[in-house]
């Protein structure tokens, strides 16, 4: 078989599952493209939901991914007592979002954002109203010898700084509650959950991406925190009722461990009936799991994936005799999804009675939403819907409930929260469009294909070009006069029952796109793991002069022809960009992107896919 040359690391890597945001990997395609665009492209799609249900978007003020790079990469959110909320992004951004008004950035935390790492979770302390304390979980750059290959994982307690009106303005007084090594660039923290008495829960992945790496066996070792669900007090000591608690060493790993044998327990919540965690554990090559976590139970990873022995690992001496706990639900890769996102139980009353008490969860890759029901003892009583409760819902990476009980989730692709509302009747459509200008002819092309109707109805489109003329159609072009230099364009979309929505944007017909000149690596070159890839670029604009070049990396990863998804990795600014080649599967593409944007939002990008150095192995 063909694989990537990894002699420098001593590791043989074949196909392996990744976690959420940003694994860097090898590419099998070699090409370069240059694209000029104007304005961000908003994530919207033709959703499919049961009759009466609609998704309402809640803005976060964060930037979604685009052709220019990853944006802020929204990863998590947490509601404050006044129903405002905090939103966090992979690259360290902490945003306060009021119920009404403009979101405010209150912190930019130092993070190591390679691979799956970064700022991945936030939670509000149980005593927030008196302490103004919150918790974050993130990866930090290396702190020296012993800190792991890529640094440390830290769960911290912070104090929210407020202004005279009591509104958040910053974070201060960081205190590390829990730390461990991040020995790889993947499968790090999952959720932070806080109980009313202040008890903290979190999860930590195995830190391994290779399909056969003995380091993953630490998931079974209760003296190691990796591959576990953990429960501890706000001072970092274990809860005395934990199954492996050591009275003589309450801060030892075993004192924190609640359950073991997990691979990438990315998101979880507490079941309101049993009080136990329900975890979505991202699988490797075949299976996604939803597990009800009981004290002291092991879920068998890496010897087991779901309810079946894991190919490769099952033959290791260390896996002989290892047993597992069967998942509450499991589903295969290939058409059903490939990256489960653990959800939350619906406890409200506004949804139809059939959904009350249901567990809502999703899949990040396929944009699918499911529900299922559990018995008081944790058994499955209603299996997830065939084909999903909803489809094309976005890219869910965290679920919670809003006051009143409605399900709400973070959509990393749109950089927004999406609230699932039951509102029978005709739903209001969503208007969205992009524009591209040809400065030489002052002609602007408009595209409204991202507009949609939640009920699935056909929309009509009306354009106000801002110069006294109008147009129709989902896409159209318009040529502007010489003056003025900019126009406000308004799109109105209307459904057959008369419900309508608008979107507007300022366009600059005579504005030229930036000129971007990139020196990519030799197109015939190949790279082994650890070898540095170097690129350089300059950018200028006819109106603005010299521009700063922004760099980003993007992994396009496919497990089957129908299960492809993207992970954003390292970023940078300046005339040069260097990145070390990372090993991964053969069915991935590592894209390097250079981008330049002018003062009017016109953007030019250039992309290049890196060729791995391969060798035959047996």
């Amino acid at each position: 078989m063909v694989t990537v040359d990894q002699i420098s690391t001593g590791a043989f890597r074949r196909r392996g599952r990744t976690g959420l945001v940003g694994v860097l990997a090898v590419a099998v395609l070699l090409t370069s493209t240059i694209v000029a665009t104007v304005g961000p492209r908003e994530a919207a799609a033709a959703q499919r939901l049961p009759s009466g249900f609609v998704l309402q978007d809640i803005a976060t003020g964060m930037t979604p991914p685009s052709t220019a790079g990853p944006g802020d990469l929204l990863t998590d959110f947490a509601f404050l007592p006044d129903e405002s909320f905090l939103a966090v992004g992979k690259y360290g951004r902490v945003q306060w979002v009021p119920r009404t008004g403009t979101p405010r950035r209150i912190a930019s935390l130092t993070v190591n954002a390679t691979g799956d790492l970064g700022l991945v979770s936030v939670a509000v302390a149980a005593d927030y109203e008196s302490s103004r304390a919150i918790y974050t979980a993130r990866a930090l750059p290396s702190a020296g010898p012993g800190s792991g290959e890529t640094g440390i994982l830290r769960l911290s307690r912070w104090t929210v700084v407020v202004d005279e009106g009591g509104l958040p303005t910053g974070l201060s007084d960081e205190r590390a509650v829990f730390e461990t090594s991040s020995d790889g660039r993947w499968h790090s923290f999952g959720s932070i959950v806080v109980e009313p008495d202040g008890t903290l829960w979190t999860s930590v992945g195995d830190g391994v991406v290779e399909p056969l790496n003995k380091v993953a066996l630490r998931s079974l070792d209760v003296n190691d925190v990796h591959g576990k669900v953990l429960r501890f007090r706000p001072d970092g000591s274990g809860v005395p009722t934990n199954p492996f608690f050591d009275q003589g060493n309450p801060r030892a790993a075993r004192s924190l461990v609640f359950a073991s044998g997990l691979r990438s327990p990315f998101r979880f919540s507490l079941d309101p009936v049993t009080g136990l965690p329900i975890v979505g554990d991202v699988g490797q090559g075949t299976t996604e799991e939803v597990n009800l976590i009981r004290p002291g139970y092991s879920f068998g990873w890496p010897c087991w994936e779901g309810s079946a022995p894991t190919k490769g690992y099952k033959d290791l001496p260390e896996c002989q005799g290892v047993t597992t706990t069967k998942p509450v639900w499991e589903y295969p890769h290939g058409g059903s999804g490939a990256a489960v996102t653990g959800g939350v139980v619906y406890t409200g009353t506004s949804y139809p009675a059939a959904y009350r008490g249901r567990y809502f969860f999703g899949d990040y890759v396929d944009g699918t939403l499911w529900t299922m029901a559990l018995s008081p003892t944790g058994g499955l009583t209603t299996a997830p819907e065939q084909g999903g409760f909803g489809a094309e819902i976005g890219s869910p990476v965290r679920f919670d409930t809003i006051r009143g009980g409605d399900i709400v989730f973070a959509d990393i692709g749109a950089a927004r929260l999406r609230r699932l509302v039951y509102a029978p009747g005709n739903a209001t459509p969503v208007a969205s469009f992009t524009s591209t200008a040809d400065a030489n002819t002052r002609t602007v092309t408009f595209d409204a294909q991202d507009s949609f109707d939640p009920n699935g109805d056909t929309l009509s489109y009306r354009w106000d070009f801002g110069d006294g003329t109008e147009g129709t159609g989902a896409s159209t072009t318009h040529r502007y006069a010489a003056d003025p230099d900019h126009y406000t364009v308004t799109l109105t979309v209307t459904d057959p029952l008369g419900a309508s929505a608008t979107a507007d944007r300022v366009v600059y017909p005579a504005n030229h796109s930036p000129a971007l000149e990139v020196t990519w690596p030799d197109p015939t070159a190949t790279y082994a793991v650890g070898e540095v890839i170097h690129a350089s670029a300059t950018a200028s604009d006819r109106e603005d002069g010299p521009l700063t070049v922004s760099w980003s990396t993007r992994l396009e990863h496919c497990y089957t022809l129908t299960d492809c998804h993207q992970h954003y990795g390292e970023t940078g600014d300046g005339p040069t960009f260097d990145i070390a080649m990372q090993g991964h599967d053969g069915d991935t593409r590592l894209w390097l992107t250079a981008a330049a944007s002018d003062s009017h939002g016109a953007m030019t990008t250039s992309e290049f896919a890196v060729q791995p150095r391969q060798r035959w192995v047996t």
Side-chain angles (χ1 to χ4, degrees):
M1 65 179 296
V2 178
T3 188
V4 179
D5 182 355
Q6 298 198 19
I7 296 176
S8 61
T9 64
F12 167 50
R13 302 180 180 180
R14 295 184 300 171
R15 172 168 296 185
R17 290 287 293 114
T18 66
L20 171 64
V21 282
V23 175
L24 291 173
V26 301
V28 295
L29 182 66
L30 182 61
T31 186
S32 177
T33 60
I34 295 181
V35 181
T37 60
V38 178
R41 189 173 187 83
E42 298 180 1
Q47 304 154 7
R48 178 177 60 78
L49 293 166
S51 177
F53 283 95
V54 295
L55 288 173
Q56 295 180 348
D57 284 356
I58 303 172
T60 63
M62 288 191 169
T63 304
S66 70
T67 54
D72 294 306
L73 285 183
L74 171 69
T75 53
D76 201 1
F77 63 97
F79 288 101
L80 297 174
D82 65 356
E83 296 186 49
S84 66
F85 65 91
L86 300 175
V88 300
K90 171 183 170 71
Y91 296 103
R93 182 172 183 175
V94 182
Q95 189 96 332
W96 173 65
V97 185
R99 293 183 63 186
T100 59
T102 304
R104 173 192 297 170
R105 182 181 300 197
I106 63 172
S108 294
L109 304 184
T110 299
V111 297
N112 174 6
T114 59
D116 285 346
L117 307 180
L119 175 57
V120 298
S121 193
V122 63
V124 175
D127 60 354
Y128 178 85
E129 289 185 285
S130 60
S131 69
R132 298 199 313 273
I134 67 166
Y135 297 96
T136 62
R138 74 192 200 276
L140 289 169
S142 176
S147 63
E149 177 191 349
T150 55
I152 58 176
L153 303 179
R154 176 185 292 172
L155 190 151
S156 300
R157 182 179 172 106
W158 302 81
T159 299
V160 176
V161 179
V162 298
D163 61 18
E164 293 180 355
L167 304 181
T169 60
L171 298 180
S172 66
D173 304 325
E174 179 182 13
R175 178 173 62 84
V177 178
F178 165 81
E179 285 188 353
T180 189
S181 63
S182 58
D183 306 304
R185 306 170 189 269
W186 28 77
H187 307 171
S188 62
F189 277 118
S191 300
I192 306 173
V193 176
V194 183
E195 294 198 68
D197 66 357
T199 299
L200 293 168
W201 296 81
T202 194
S203 56
V204 180
D206 66 355
V208 174
V209 75
E210 302 91 346
L212 185 57
N213 185 334
K214 286 192 174 185
V215 172
L217 291 165
R218 63 184 176 181
S219 296
L220 301 170
D221 181 2
V222 298
N223 294 302
D224 189 302
V225 296
H226 296 87
K228 309 294 190 303
V229 168
L230 309 174
R231 183 174 67 151
F232 44 89
R233 294 170 168 171
D235 66 0
S237 63
V239 178
T241 55
N242 282 350
F244 309 105
F245 185 77
D246 182 351
Q247 187 68 41
N249 192 355
R251 296 179 184 275
R254 65 183 302 112
S255 293
L256 311 181
V257 171
F258 192 80
S260 61
L262 297 161
R263 180 177 183 269
S264 181
F266 179 58
R267 295 299 191 202
F268 68 90
S269 63
L270 300 183
D271 178 17
V273 176
T274 64
L276 297 171
I278 306 178
V279 173
D281 193 15
V282 180
Q284 176 178 267
T286 61
T287 308
E288 302 299 297
E289 304 177 30
V290 177
N291 297 308
L292 179 65
I293 305 297
R294 299 182 185 276
Y297 279 34
S298 172
F299 294 85
W301 175 260
C303 304
W304 295 80
E305 184 177 354
S307 57
T310 308
K311 184 179 180 180
Y313 283 106
K314 66 180 181 179
D315 300 319
L316 296 177
E318 295 88 344
C319 285
Q320 306 312 304
V322 172
T323 58
T324 188
T325 302
K326 188 176 180 180
V328 171
W329 180 254
E330 58 186 309
Y331 61 93
H333 296 170
S336 299
V340 65
T341 300
V344 66
V345 173
Y346 175 69
T347 57
T349 58
S350 62
Y351 295 177
Y355 295 105
R356 295 172 190 173
R358 289 280 188 97
Y359 178 71
F360 284 73
F361 68 105
D363 191 283
Y364 157 72
V365 171
D366 279 12
T368 304
L369 178 65
W370 290 280
T371 78
M372 65 182 181
L374 305 180
S375 71
T377 59
L380 182 68
T381 58
T382 304
E385 300 87 352
Q386 183 71 29
F389 168 90
E392 300 294 345
I393 62 163
S395 303
V397 295
R398 167 82 156 85
F399 285 88
D400 202 348
T401 57
I402 203 167
R403 184 170 294 181
D406 284 1
I407 302 297
V408 61
F409 62 88
D411 181 349
I412 193 174
R416 297 176 179 177
L417 303 191
R418 315 202 78 182
R419 179 178 180 176
L420 181 66
V421 175
Y422 183 66
N426 189 42
T428 302
V430 175
S432 177
F433 70 93
T434 60
S435 60
T436 304
D438 181 346
N440 294 325
T441 63
R442 297 181 59 85
T443 300
V444 181
T445 299
F446 300 98
D447 184 352
Q449 66 173 339
D450 283 345
S451 300
F452 68 94
D453 184 80
N455 303 113
D457 296 329
T458 300
L459 296 174
S460 62
Y461 304 83
R462 181 173 62 83
W463 300 89
D464 179 344
F465 295 123
D467 61 355
T469 63
E470 296 185 346
T472 59
S475 62
T476 187
T477 60
H478 183 66
R479 186 170 183 173
Y480 286 89
D483 293 311
D485 69 335
H486 66 278
Y487 300 83
T488 299
V489 178
T490 301
L491 165 69
T492 301
V493 296
T494 306
D495 72 10
L497 296 180
S500 64
T502 62
D504 55 53
R505 172 169 294 162
V506 177
V507 298
Y508 297 82
N511 183 57
H512 292 81
S513 297
L516 178 64
E517 296 185 4
V518 187
T519 302
W520 292 115
D522 179 353
T524 64
T526 60
Y527 293 84
V529 171
E531 289 187 330
V532 175
I533 304 160
H534 175 79
S536 61
T538 59
S540 62
D541 184 75
R542 183 177 298 187
E543 292 81 14
D544 295 343
L547 299 175
T548 299
V549 178
S550 298
W551 304 87
S552 62
T553 58
R554 184 180 86 253
L555 168 68
E556 183 179 40
H557 191 57
C558 299
Y559 289 103
T560 70
L561 291 176
T562 58
D563 281 319
C564 294
H565 56 287
Q566 295 186 348
H567 304 264
Y568 287 91
E570 295 181 63
T571 62
D573 294 303
T576 62
F577 186 66
D578 294 298
I579 185 171
M581 190 64 168
Q582 299 295 315
H584 207 279
D585 311 357
D587 55 353
T588 61
R589 299 176 182 179
L590 174 62
W591 291 92
L592 307 183
T593 301
S597 181
D598 71 9
S599 59
H600 293 321
M603 181 186 304
T604 302
T605 64
S606 177
E607 291 189 324
F608 184 85
V610 183
Q611 179 82 358
R613 184 168 306 154
Q614 298 178 327
R615 62 190 294 260
W616 289 96
V617 298
T618 58

